[in-house]
Amino acid sequence: MKYDVRQLRLISNDRIADGIFDMRLEYGQDDLPVSCGQFAHVYVPGKTLRRPISVCDCSNGELRLVYQVKGEGTRIMSRMQPGGLADVLVPLGNGFDVQKGKKYCLIGGGIGVPPMLFTAKQCDSPLVITGFRDSSLVILQDDFKSAGAETALVTDNGTAGKKGFVTDVLRERIGEIDEVCACGPTPMLKAVADICREYGKPCQISLEERMACGIGACLVCAVKVRKNGEELMQHVCKNGPVFNAEEVVF
Amino acid sequence: MADLSVKVAGVSFDNPIIAASGTFGFGREYNEFYPLEKLGGISCKGITLKRRDGNPPPRIAETPSGILNAVGLQNPGVDVFIIDDLPWLKRQNTTVIANIAGNTVEEYCQMAEKLSETDVDMIELNISCPNVKSGGVQFGTSCESVGNITSEVRRRCKKPLIVKLSPNVTDIASIAQSAEANGADAISMINTLTGMRIDIGTRRPIIRNNTGGLSGAAVFPVAVRMVWQVSNAVKIPIIGMGGITTWEDAAEMLIAGASALQIGTVMFSDPYAPIKIAEGLNDFLDKNGIKSVTELTKTVIPW
């Protein structure tokens, strides 16, 4: 059986920025076969749908999920108490394909930043560009540094790091980069993909869509892609969440 | 261990729990949780004559105790289903129902003819999909159109024929009678209730299709009421569905008048729900000294 629902002990569930929470779950002795860019589907008591959350980190027996409180479901998640069990379907989806020896630029925008941490850990000294609306939302900067990444921080209003957008930094640095991986709001991903196309750099992007089953059965989390000249609907949960930016029809 | 097996229109199911069309694809994904033979059957994702890409996203919104969806019948088409999916499904030791939808009566008939030449066990006529522009529910909302499409498909279909009813009608019992009078071997009900949610910030409907079909626990009481009404109006068996979440719901739906059940939306929170419901039903029967699950059907004692 490829899939299983796991009951994981909640170690901590702390607020780390305005509306952003850091959930750590214990998965015990056995390896959890998670690769960077995959996601966990978290059962929320009382809700009809699970909440898909990208894996922020998975090491030393801990699965780390950093998520934003957006509505009632994530609010209930944020009140889950340490010591209790969380019902989690993990790992799901196809993550980033990263190889040693390449120079990666990892780009995260807002709540798209967390999956780039686990990704950074699989790369050789990557450049990590993170962008946030303002200083109250900045997360994970120390974690990226500990992972051996060079970090560049931008905010829309300049209250933390440089004022500007992740794409400003990408344009400055693209000459030294082999490949880009990105996760964030759709306009940011489109802008990143456009720059990569302009400079001929491969680009992988992690997408988000309203989701139900998480395994490719219900077909709700559709994304339009172009393959061999033909447009078709694929699904974020099963074909993604990471796609080749060149194939995504924005 | 009670006898959980049921027969619907002469077709055997090892237990009354069938995966509901549209929630379970063609079974391959959930087969990675448990062997499909644990289910009584599978009603496959709705198929059309030609491939359909479905509606643009978002296709789903969560609602109190339920969801709205508007997938729009994304599927690879009946020929791909017959070649790529059906042979695999038939090896999984469970009863296979093909759910078909069309733009025209002729399309339904052509699919029924093609599927009649395969190993599929039953055909479910989807005349209740609320999420496609043409076809779907337009055939399912009047006695005349239900009667017409049922008799046309019946003439060209060699398999037992289930007609799946929409709840978005004035008098579901008379529609069920029209299906029965025109050759339906069974009724399945209910499809989703048409609904809508709006983002108050953007003033845009959350679902790109504007409206969608409501399913999940929220619709369960409506489904029980309609199954009961239809069971009083027709003699053919009813496959009951609509928000069944627990084994208690399953028992209730059988008592209301259903002979078998479809389980859908609950799978999204608990993929194992169909297995748990089958086990719960078995325990309930054992505790009450009931030998066969068929003894529950239509045993409601109305006031």
Side-chain angles (χ1 to χ4, degrees), chain A residues 2 16 22 46 68-69 74 90 96 128 130 149 173 202 205 249:
Chain A
K2 184 171 153 194
I16 57 168
D22 183 351
Q68 183 173 30
V69 173
T74 40
V90 67
F96 291 106
V128 175
T130 55
R173 303 287 300 273
I205 53 176
V249 180

Side-chain angles (χ1 to χ4, degrees), chain A residues 135-153:
Chain A
S135 60
S136 72
L137 299 169
V138 174
I139 49 170
L140 302 175
Q141 298 301 303
D142 292 340
D143 297 86
F144 282 113
K145 291 190 181 87
S146 306
E150 179 194 351
T151 57
L153 170 65

Side-chain angles (χ1 to χ4, degrees), chain A residues 51-149:
Chain A
R51 294 302 186 269
I53 311 287
S54 61
V55 171
C56 174
D57 200 0
C58 185
S59 56
N60 305 319
E62 270 184 40
L63 175 72
R64 191 175 176 196
L65 306 175
V66 171
Y67 60 97
Q68 183 173 30
V69 173
K70 284 240 182 173
E72 199 186 325
T74 40
R75 191 171 305 119
I76 295 168
M77 269 181 74
S78 74
R79 290 173 186 156
M80 289 163 70
Q81 294 296 315
L85 289 175
D87 175 309
V88 187
L89 182 48
V90 67
L92 295 179
N94 295 303
F96 291 106
D97 177 17
V98 293
Q99 293 142 22
K100 297 282 179 194
K102 276 190 179 175
K103 178 69 177 179
Y104 283 95
C105 174
L106 311 180
I107 302 177
I111 201 58
V113 168
M116 306 327 290
L117 178 60
F118 194 36
T119 311
K121 289 189 164 185
Q122 322 303 320
C123 301
D124 290 327
S125 21
L127 167 64
V128 175
I129 309 171
T130 55
F132 302 90
R133 206 165 61 236
D134 59 55
S135 60
S136 72
L137 299 169
V138 174
I139 49 170
L140 302 175
Q141 298 301 303
D142 292 340
D143 297 86
F144 282 113
K145 291 190 181 87
S146 306

Side-chain angles (χ1 to χ4, degrees), chain B residues 242-264:
Chain B
I244 296 170
T245 302
T246 62
W247 68 261
E248 290 95 333
D249 296 341
E252 187 174 336
M253 188 66 95
L254 293 165
I255 290 167
S259 295
L261 306 166
Q262 288 188 15
I263 308 290

